[in-house]
């Protein structure tokens, strides 16, 4: 077992995380309460692809437990469900503890609401079925080259090099190429065919976003 897998297993078995799952998602008319062990395991598996997410969640759970103990003289994980729910529901919006729980709950809410079972219960949009990957390649696709297909040293001649094909890079490359300049775009991610866009966020986000979208831009 690798160190990262061991850490993920430790998070999946964290009783504080299980207790928070139970308190956050009471059974409703359409969605039943979650299987806390399964939900925690899903979040733990997801944390493997996001740098430092494991450590952040552990630190936040410790802070939550500390605040709960200070008020109730009892561990959050061992407190009755109603007491845990009362603690969460009684928090003042914007307070440090409310913000703390909000941060911890983000991956839990995503894993709960985006599960296939709950998506079916909510009658969410079915996965998209686009063109298959064996369709005839377009002429412009000849200009898309994987780094694996290049020689170790490859010279490319261009007027402009654009780093990244995101919202900014793609638009800049288009405007520059439209002006008659020769443009080379360097992209860290893979080129994805249209049949890979299924409409399922749990499949698409890890493919299209570095660290599943957890990379923040500051400044």
């Amino acid at each position: 077992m690798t160190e990262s897998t061991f850490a993920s297993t430790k998070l999946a078995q964290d009783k504080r995380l299980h207790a928070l799952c139970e308190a956050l998602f009471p059974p409703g008319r359409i969605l039943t309460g979650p299987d806390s062990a399964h939900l925690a395991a899903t979040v733990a598996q997801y944390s493997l692809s996001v740098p430092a997410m494991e450590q952040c969640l552990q630190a936040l759970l410790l802070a939550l437990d500390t605040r709960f103990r200070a008020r109730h003289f009892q561990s959050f994980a061992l407190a009755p469900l109603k007491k845990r729910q009362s603690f969460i529901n009684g928090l003042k919006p914007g307070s440090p503890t409310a913000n703390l729980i909000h941060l911890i709950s983000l991956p839990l809410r995503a894993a709960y609401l985006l599960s296939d079972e709950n998506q079916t219960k909510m009658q969410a949009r079915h996965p998209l079925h686009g063109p298959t990957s064996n369709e005839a390649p377009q002429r412009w696709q000849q200009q898309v080259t994987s780094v694996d297909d290049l020689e170790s040293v490859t010279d490319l001649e261009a007027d402009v090099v654009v780093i990244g094909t995101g919202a900014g890079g793609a638009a800049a490359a288009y405007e520059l190429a439209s002006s008659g300049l020769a443009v080379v775009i360097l992209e860290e991610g893979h080129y994805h065919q249209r049949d890979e866009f299924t409409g399922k966020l749990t499949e698409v986000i890890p493919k299209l976003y570095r660290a599943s979208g957890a990379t923040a831009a500051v400044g």
Side-chain angles (χ1 to χ4, degrees), residues 97-169:
T97 306
N99 291 335
L100 172 67
I101 292 179
H102 177 69
L103 286 174
I104 307 175
S105 71
L106 288 176
L108 296 176
R109 294 176 192 276
Y112 180 57
L113 293 175
L114 294 177
S115 72
D116 291 338
E117 180 182 358
N118 286 338
Q119 289 280 298
T120 300
K121 289 179 179 178
M122 293 185 294
Q123 298 182 350
R125 183 179 62 184
H126 296 294
L128 302 176
H129 299 289
T132 59
S133 58
N134 58 8
E135 65 178 348
Q138 301 295 316
R139 186 175 62 179
W140 60 265
Q141 287 181 284
Q142 298 175 6
Q143 298 174 273
V144 179
T145 306
S146 170
V147 68
D148 296 330
D149 297 330
L150 297 175
E151 298 180 3
S152 58
V153 178
T154 302
D155 291 329
L156 298 175
E157 184 177 345
D159 298 313
V160 180
V161 176
V162 176
I163 309 300
T165 62

Side-chain angles (χ1 to χ4, degrees), residues 13-210:
Q13 297 174 346
D14 194 311
K15 293 182 179 179
R16 299 168 302 183
L17 188 59
H18 291 202
L20 183 59
C21 290
E22 294 174 346
L24 284 174
F25 308 109
R29 182 174 60 86
I30 297 177
L31 301 184
T32 59
D35 178 341
S36 60
H38 176 72
L39 186 57
T42 301
V43 171
Q45 182 64 32
Y46 177 74
S47 72
L48 293 176
S49 63
V50 181
M53 179 176 171
E54 165 88 23
Q55 295 86 338
C56 288
L57 282 176
Q58 291 283 8
L60 292 171
L61 287 169
L62 176 61
L64 169 62
D65 192 54
T66 301
R67 290 179 180 275
F68 189 85
R69 285 176 183 271
R71 181 176 298 183
H72 295 288
F73 307 102
Q74 185 180 19
S75 168
F76 183 81
L78 299 179
L81 176 58
K82 287 188 176 181
K83 182 179 285 189
R84 282 178 269 140
Q85 290 176 330
S86 177
F87 173 76
I88 293 174
N89 295 332
L91 294 173
K92 182 179 179 181
S95 67
T97 306
N99 291 335
L100 172 67
I101 292 179
H102 177 69
L103 286 174
I104 307 175
S105 71
L106 288 176
L108 296 176
R109 294 176 192 276
Y112 180 57
L113 293 175
L114 294 177
S115 72
D116 291 338
E117 180 182 358
N118 286 338
Q119 289 280 298
T120 300
K121 289 179 179 178
M122 293 185 294
Q123 298 182 350
R125 183 179 62 184
H126 296 294
L128 302 176
H129 299 289
T132 59
S133 58
N134 58 8
E135 65 178 348
Q138 301 295 316
R139 186 175 62 179
W140 60 265
Q141 287 181 284
Q142 298 175 6
Q143 298 174 273
V144 179
T145 306
S146 170
V147 68
D148 296 330
D149 297 330
L150 297 175
E151 298 180 3
S152 58
V153 178
T154 302
D155 291 329
L156 298 175
E157 184 177 345
D159 298 313
V160 180
V161 176
V162 176
I163 309 300
T165 62
Y174 172 80
E175 293 296 338
L176 292 167
S178 297
S179 300
L181 297 175
V183 180
V184 167
I185 308 175
L186 298 181
E187 170 56 46
E188 175 183 348
H190 295 285
Y191 176 80
H192 295 285
Q193 301 288 347
R194 286 191 288 176
D195 64 328
E196 295 182 72
F197 292 83
T198 62
K200 293 186 65 175
L201 294 181
T202 51
E203 293 179 358
V204 175
I205 289 179
K207 289 181 181 178
L208 302 184
Y209 293 88
R210 177 195 290 165

